[in-house]
Amino acid sequence: MTLVKDELVPVVQAGAEYVFHVPTSSFYELDATTRDVLEAVERLDSVPDSQLSAAVSGSTGADETEVTEILSDLVKLRLLVPRDTKGSADTDPTPRGTGVRNLTLHVAHNCNLNCGYCYAEAGLYKGKATLMSVERAREYVDWLFDQADPDARELGVTFFGGEPLLNFPVVETTVRYAQERAQRDGKRVRFGITTNGTLITPVISDFLRDIRATVTISVDAKGKTNDRLRPYHSGRGSYDIVMDKIQPLLESGMCAARVTVTKVNLNVVETVETLLEAGFTEVGCSPVDAKNPAYDLDGKDYAELLEGFRVLVARYVDEAAEGRRYGFSNIGNILKAVHNGHNKEYPCGAGIQMVAGAPNGNMSLCHRFVGEDEYVLGSLEAGGLDEAKRKQMLDELALKERSDCSKCWARYICSGGCHHVNFLFNGDPQKTYLTHCDWLRAWYRTGLEAYAEILQRNPAFINQFIDPGWVCRN
Amino acid sequence: MSRIKPINTKAQKIAETVHRDVRGYAFSDCCASFAPGWEVGTGDNPDPCPWKHDLQLCWVTCYWMGQVPDTNSYGSWLDTCNNINDDWRNLCTIPDNG
């Protein structure tokens, strides 16, 4: 038998050496001798394991007994493996075949803003402007609770659009109905809403606060840059109006911002700083996927975006060293993935524990696939999800089916990327959109380095803010 | 494992698993050959475990090295199992103190 180095990503941070083990997403700190041993094993490619200790000792100058012990530990941790098992993954179990726990309700297929990059074409999703009826929304809630696993203690409903607050009466009625149903079924239900913020009133603010909703405001930059990207249909800008309307929610500390990054607003450092100063608890940035060269980022833009992200990560790490949490949520999410050893067959819960419900009663893979007939997984009229179609789609979307990703060290973190981005650019959610990949690998590496640096400077931060048990108290 | 430090949760889980060493001790394979197994016992017969009897018999005489622990290094290995009904899991692993 010949032992070989398994797929490892070396990371150096402030003079310390680390390796990230790709098949398990485990992360180790090594001393210099262990690093030398690993490198020697790679050089001594075909030495049988019975002669390996002596050969490595000869190659590195390290004591053979010591080398034997290190090799034994490396084998136990699967960092050295028999050649024919290299790359054998240990992915986290996917909760397939279980009930849906999160339902995204498209309560309004219409929007009062006219963002040029919108994948839903101003919220219409290839259809006519439609508001979901109260009866339809109740049917969805009943379906969610009826099909839920008995052991699912908490279910989630997210109100989405278009602009969901164009249909606030239905949002309000649906929340009350879901709360009653949850009480009857002995479950909890939590709510989220993604809104452009322009229609928020004091009454709506009080309501969202009362139901402890997770509120995500779409806002792309400060002032005129945001206005250029997020105008009303009349062309008028929305920034000042939004910031005025959401003030009570900002003061309550219950708003996160979602920034869509385009060619127009690449200065993410300024945007994140501005929005955090304005009172958002978290700001997350996501590159646009518009299939429109006026907005989509090219290689140079991705390099600039990464540079901006790294500045924000440095701030996050400095704050973490002082025991404070900086609200740049992109790095927070990566740190959680690194901490938990995120190693998944699917990039998200689409079709697994989450589906989206359209006003016409059709249920889709996720909110972004609403309006695409091929990705309808079922309907209220048909009594719910078509389980055969759901299974087939999930089988096809699994990472192991993607040859594009088979050599990438980040594949179990990214899991092939967003199904909808792949669909938008390649016409098929199974075909990985490779334009993102260099950027994503560089970003994940930044996450590994940040995790190592925080552990060096203030390890208590990880247990306090990154460990899964931590819950935001805002 | 002082030279390699697991730093994330996944690495710690893997390290904890390997820390419970099973050197020279393929007990689960051995168990499979004994029937009916302790778990079919009833309250009337609280210690029906055929393992215990067979294990103690074969401890010294068993031809299959894999069935017995390294008794030189782990002379007190059976001490972890004071009550076979409650402590049987301890039989399948030996703490790696090395």
Side-chain angles (χ1 to χ4, degrees), chain A residues 18 24-31 33-34 66 70 73-74 76 92 338-339 341 451 455, chain B residues 1-16 18-19 21 23 96 98:
Chain A
Y18 303 84
T24 59
S25 295
S26 47
F27 199 20
Y28 300 91
E29 184 178 354
L30 311 175
D31 72 353
T33 312
T34 306
E66 198 174 34
I70 291 172
D73 287 345
L74 290 170
K76 286 179 191 169
D92 302 336
V338 173
H339 179 67
Y451 186 79
L455 279 179
Chain B
M1 221 170 273
S2 57
R3 295 175 173 279
I4 311 170
K5 184 180 169 192
I7 64 166
N8 71 350
T9 307
K10 188 68 75 67
Q12 281 153 6
K13 276 184 191 159
I14 291 170
E16 279 165 16
V18 301
H19 222 63
D21 204 336
R23 272 180 279 180
D96 178 7

Side-chain angles (χ1 to χ4, degrees), chain A residues 10 25 130 252 302:
Chain A
S25 295
T130 322
S252 303
Y302 275 113

